Amino acid sequence: MEKLERIHPNRQAIPFLFMLVLVQVCSEPTTRYSILEETESGSFVAHLAKDLGLSSGDLSARSARVVSDDYKQRLLLDPVTGDLLLREKLDREELCASVDPCVLHFQVSLEKPVQYFQGELLIQDINDHSPEFPEREMLLKIPENSQPGTLLPLNLAQDLDVGSNGLQQYTVSPNSHFHVLTRNNSKGKKYPELVQDRALDREEQAELSLTLTALDGGSPPRSGTAMVRILILDINDNAPKFVNIPYEVQVLESSPPGSPVLTVLAQDADAGNFGRVSYGLFQASDEIQQTFSINEVTGEIRLKKELDFEKIKSYHVKIEATDGGGLSGKGEVVIEVVDVNDNAPELTISSLTSSVPENAPETIISIFRVGDRDSGENGKVVCSIPENLPFILKSTFKNFYTLVTESPLDRESRAEYNITITVTDMGTPRLTTQHTITVQVSDDNDNAPAFTQTSYTLFVQENNSPALHIGTISTTDSDSGSNAHITYSLLPTQDPQLALSSLISINADNGQIFALRALDYETLQTFEFQVGAIDQGSPALSSQALVRVLVLDANDNAPFVLYPLQNASAPCTELLPRAAKPGYLVTKVVAVDRDSGQNAWLSFQLLKATQPGLFSVWAHNGEVRTSRLLSERDASKHRLLLLVKDNGDPPRSASVTLHVLLVDGFSQPYLPLPEVAHDPAHDNEDLLTLYLVIALASVSSIFLLSVLLFVGVRLCRRARAASLGGCSVPEGHFPGHLVDVSGTGTLSQSYQYEVCLTGDSGTGEFKFLKPMIPELLVQDPGRELKENLHCRDSFVFS
């Protein structure tokens, strides 16, 4: 194939074009190519990339496309080689009919940037059609008085080829009466004209039969023949004449078949059969014969099929009126087709992007072309899209538009857009074409996981079973797909003492939190940790939340008695003077409970006593007091069984046993026991108590004597200046069973006692139980003993 020429635009028109075009478009010359018709599909037309000054890679990178003006894709572009190829076999006669030259217009569109090139493909004719006459036989009626030189026009032959391959000449079979001339009509069509060579004699020969041959100019030439029958008639010297020539009429293209167009009228001055006129079409092409019909008698012309303004805008119909004598008159009817708005606008998508990433800047969604086959106002179109969408239309070149995003899109706000492109013409009534484009917004990982709460508080009962589900945390992520797939994890704790991995685990998929082992409220009451949530996007986004676990107390600890000790080798015995008044504090039971809250609220109860009614226990502080005065009839040894119970559900308890020994006074060295009724069941206990009392008295006497001697020696060395002796504190301890325990349990105060030993007597006498903090004891002046103002040695213990 050869490249013909490039037509450069007028440089003076360039400034005017730049004022009209909204988007800058490269003005390129029109490139022309040629090709023979009936060339096989896929044949090479031209090296388009080279002609455009581009490389083959540029065509592929810039999404080059070829679009034809007739809305059919007859050409294709090889993006690899840059060659322009035929998509299908082209038939010049089908595309252009009798139009010569036959030119197929096309455009080449490029993207990034958008650029267009005009192109023309000249389809060259080949001699593939023979001339054909519309009728295989033509009948001529010639009056016998016809003079030599008379011209008799005949129906022309049709040859679909053009140029040198078209109809060139006519010949007639040899005869002595006629020869044929080849002439051109007003449209340049060649038609035969029979020329009479000599006079006719009907009586000699009433009918002639000639063979008319039509020849084209191809190599080799093609031909077509028709039979011409010539009837010699009597004299008829007046031919019909049309009243108004030429006839002109306008017909709407929407007129249905069978509609009348107009009625022609021809007059003949002859009379009789020579004056009777019949009408017909003359030298009519196939298109005219298929479109119009004429009534031979009335001359009324009617439509045979629908008209299409977009294909043929006007018809020049030659008509003939023939009288009974065979004479005919010729006329012409010019039929103008009036356009109506019968074609909806057309939209052709050149490129389309169905998925757009969110947050992307201005992005081309589609490039398309609009048009309307109608003309005038009916062919003007307006293109629009809905106003409430973040997209805009840009007019780029002629009827080409580009659909682009107006601003970055947000998938979380809207993941899909249905864009309806509406194309409306300006005709009456207006016709509309709509095309909907669906655009998916692809996700970008621009949202971090969000916890439903900034912090979570979980409660778990102590002594729980291992792997217990104690709570669930949850997050939301506005993204989709892997960008919204959340993984949970425990974050490292800042507390080095908290072994979090041995206490808690979390399900990485659903955020469920489990306690790995049984928790002990008394060991760990509360702890905190951070939980992280991370998505699977790239880059991954994360967030974290605080989880606080509160261990709830269960009543799993019984009360524990601190005093008196229950595991001692010897029972603890409390001494009670017989002179004690009612309400006298014998001792105080001290107990604690490792639980908390109401589980640690302790109450005390006297379950059993040797002599009921003598002692009572305060329920809230565990103080054991006398309920009445003691008498000689009361037993000297008493055993009390107390119950310490918490307030849990169910409650837990502990028991404690107290031994109380009644004494007449603490001044007796051996603390003799009063006689009581012999109880064989308590023989062993009485014997043990006796041993303890004797041991206590002995040890105490020896200790006190040693201290007094040491102090006396020191004092004697001083000048006997002081008339009053001061008390000093010994470094020894008073026997443990007389010492109260302080600082634990429910015992809230310490007790101090002063003991003085008289110096003028051989017998040691104790002054005992004078409280140093009297406000904490029951005020009983009768219980106080007289103080010896001349006491030389004294002990203070707590």
Side-chain angles (χ1 to χ4, degrees), residues 187 283 288 292 314-318 332-336:
K187 290 186 176 181
Q283 295 183 353
I288 292 177
F292 302 99
S314 65
Y315 295 88
H316 292 263
V317 182
K318 289 185 177 295
E332 185 178 24
V333 179
V334 179
I335 302 174
E336 296 289 341

Side-chain angles (χ1 to χ4, degrees), residues 616-628:
S616 63
V617 178
W618 286 22
H620 299 296
N621 58 12
E623 293 181 353
V624 181
R625 296 179 180 271
T626 58
S627 300
R628 59 178 174 81

